[in-house]
């Protein structure tokens, strides 16, 4: 009798957990500028044993996952909430969130955010070289939340100063960069931050780059 009981226990199916998400990829396409976006990934423990979510890791600090609790009984449902901070990002964004459970399983969720192109700068790099140190210009064009006002333009390196002027009111601006000491033998690099405010009041920052290579031939 004992032998048959042991055999029955061995043959009985082991309780297993199985956290299954209804979808593993979500695409968001906001029609206008926003500070952040929220979405959800619904799931269910389809197994016969309880499961515990041990870690949730996002590929970027701009993507913040939130789970109401970590333990889910067999058959229980839940929702993983995701907040995506837009900040100064624009254009297509691809982020992943990895969920690991105590049964050793790991699942990767994908968040695709197609942000509108708010602005673009041409060129993105201005290069100064020996005997080529005259003022140089770039153009920033805004295509969203018009009219847009430039509120500040700053260079990360005092070797350069940058000013802005209007090309097309509320939409296109010329950015003029000046090398302060063109006789300097010291190379310099700078990131220029262009801060602006749109019609909605949203504040944004765009960037481009300056480089001075005194040893390079023109």
């Amino acid at each position: 009798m004992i032998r048959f009981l042991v055999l029955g226990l061995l043959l009985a199916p082991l309780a297993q957990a199985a956290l299954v998400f209804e979808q593993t990829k979500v695409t968001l396409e906001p029609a206008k500028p926003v500070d952040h976006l929220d979405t959800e990934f619904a799931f269910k423990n389809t197994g016969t044993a309880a499961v515990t979510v041990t870690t949730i890791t996002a590929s970027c600090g701009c993507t913040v996952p939130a789970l109401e609790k970590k333990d889910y009984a067999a058959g229980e449902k839940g929702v993983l909430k995701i907040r995506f901070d837009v900040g100064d990002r624009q254009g297509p964004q691809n982020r992943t969130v990895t969920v690991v459970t105590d049964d050793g399983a790991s699942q990767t969720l994908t968040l695709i955010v197609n942000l509108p192109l708010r602005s673009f700068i041409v060129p993105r790099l201005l290069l100064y070289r020996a005997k080529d140190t005259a003022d140089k210009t770039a153009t920033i064009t805004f295509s969203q939340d018009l009219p847009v006002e430039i509120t500040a333009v700053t260079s990360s390196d005092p070797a350069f100063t940058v000013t802005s002027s209007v090309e097309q009111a509320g939409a296109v601006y010329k950015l003029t960069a000046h090398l302060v000491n063109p006789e300097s033998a010291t190379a310099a690099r700078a990131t220029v931050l262009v801060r602006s405010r749109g019609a909605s009041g949203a504040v944004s920052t765009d960037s481009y780059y300056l480089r001075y290579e005194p040893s390079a031939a023109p």
Side-chain angles (χ1 to χ4, degrees):
M1 178 64 71
I2 295 178
R3 180 182 302 174
F4 288 110
L5 179 60
V6 172
L7 181 60
L9 291 174
L10 291 176
L11 294 177
L14 296 176
Q16 293 182 340
L19 202 63
V20 176
F21 284 84
E22 291 183 2
Q23 55 184 342
T24 58
K25 182 169 71 173
V26 169
T27 300
L28 303 177
E29 296 185 352
K32 59 182 181 179
V34 293
D35 293 330
H36 69 274
L37 295 164
D38 295 304
T39 190
E40 298 179 346
F41 288 87
F43 61 85
K44 180 180 180 180
N45 179 4
T46 60
T48 56
V51 65
T52 299
V53 177
T54 55
T55 60
I56 305 175
T57 306
S59 62
C60 174
C62 63
T63 307
V64 183
L67 199 57
E68 183 179 3
K69 61 178 186 175
K70 294 184 176 181
D71 301 317
Y72 293 86
E76 188 175 1
K77 296 181 179 181
V79 172
L80 176 62
K81 296 182 178 181
I82 304 291
R83 179 186 177 114
F84 177 79
D85 292 320
V86 175
D88 298 321
R89 298 171 181 83
Q90 53 181 318
Q93 308 289 317
N94 192 315
R95 302 293 185 270
T96 58
V97 174
T98 302
V99 180
V100 179
T101 51
D102 61 347
D103 59 348
S106 174
Q107 297 193 60
T108 298
L109 310 174
T110 301
L111 174 62
I112 296 174
V113 184
N114 292 321
L115 298 172
L117 285 174
R118 184 190 68 255
S119 61
F120 58 92
I121 298 177
V122 179
R124 295 301 297 272
L125 171 65
L126 295 177
L127 176 62
Y128 298 77
R129 297 175 293 188
K131 299 181 181 180
D132 181 25
T133 58
D135 291 354
K136 299 183 183 298
T137 63
T139 300
I140 182 168
T141 302
F142 297 95
S143 58
Q144 298 285 332
D145 201 16
L146 302 178
V148 175
E149 173 192 9
I150 289 183
T151 58
V153 182
T154 57
S155 167
S156 63
D157 191 322
F160 305 94
T161 59
V162 185
T163 58
S164 66
S165 58
V166 176
E167 291 284 288
Q168 179 182 333
V172 183
Y173 294 84
K174 181 169 69 174
L175 305 168
T176 302
H178 173 71
L179 181 63
V180 175
N181 184 9
E183 302 301 322
S184 174
T186 303
R189 295 187 179 191
T191 299
V192 178
L193 299 180
V194 184
R195 294 181 175 84
S196 59
R197 180 183 296 108
S200 67
V203 176
S204 302
T205 301
D206 295 275
S207 62
Y208 71 107
Y209 309 96
L210 307 176
R211 182 183 301 171
Y212 173 47
E213 299 289 350
S215 60

